[in-house]
Amino acid sequence: MEKKDEADYKRAHSFALVRGSDMPDEMRAETIEMCVTALEKFASDNEKAAKMIKETMDKTFGSLWNVVIGESFGLDITHDVKGLLYFYFCTVAICIWKCS
């Protein structure tokens, strides 16, 4: 991949593409920002990024949050109302949900 093509690819994939969410707008924006920070900090370790996101969500929005990060996965979940966010960032998908 040429440098120009690589730069275009990174620019096109450096934002969050939300596929599903019922979180309030402010909560969703804060969660996405926190997830992007975790993914950049642990770029090569999705497990550590997921752990950081879960711990931060538990502290910020109360406990019982779950996080899945990966390139290829399927889910069938039940979640609390206003407790779901599913989005893509770069090459990974992130699903965060709260269940009690």
Side-chain angles (χ1 to χ4, degrees):
M1 189 180 281
E2 293 180 28
K3 290 210 182 255
K4 182 184 181 300
D5 293 337
E6 186 176 337
D8 289 342
Y9 179 82
K10 286 181 179 179
R11 187 173 27 265
H13 293 87
S14 64
F15 64 94
L17 176 63
V18 177
R19 298 292 296 165
S21 175
D22 66 352
M23 286 182 177
D25 291 341
E26 286 184 28
M27 182 180 185
R28 180 175 55 237
E30 187 175 338
T31 302
I32 289 171
E33 184 178 325
M34 181 252 309
C35 290
V36 169
T37 300
L39 289 168
E40 289 173 346
K41 183 174 182 177
F42 299 108
S44 61
D45 193 343
N46 290 343
E47 188 175 340
K48 285 183 180 178
K51 184 177 179 181
M52 178 182 167
I53 293 166
K54 183 203 175 348
E55 289 172 353
T56 306
M57 292 296 288
D58 286 345
K59 288 177 188 173
T60 307
F61 301 111
S63 60
L64 301 175
W65 287 92
N66 301 281
V67 180
V68 175
I69 300 174
E71 293 181 13
S72 178
F73 63 87
L75 292 173
D76 186 16
I77 61 171
T78 302
H79 64 88
D80 289 355
V81 175
K82 298 186 180 185
L84 173 70
L85 176 61
Y86 177 55
F87 70 100
Y88 296 104
F89 182 74
C90 293
T91 60
V92 296
I94 300 98
C95 187
I96 302 168
W97 73 98
K98 184 175 185 171
C99 59
S100 48

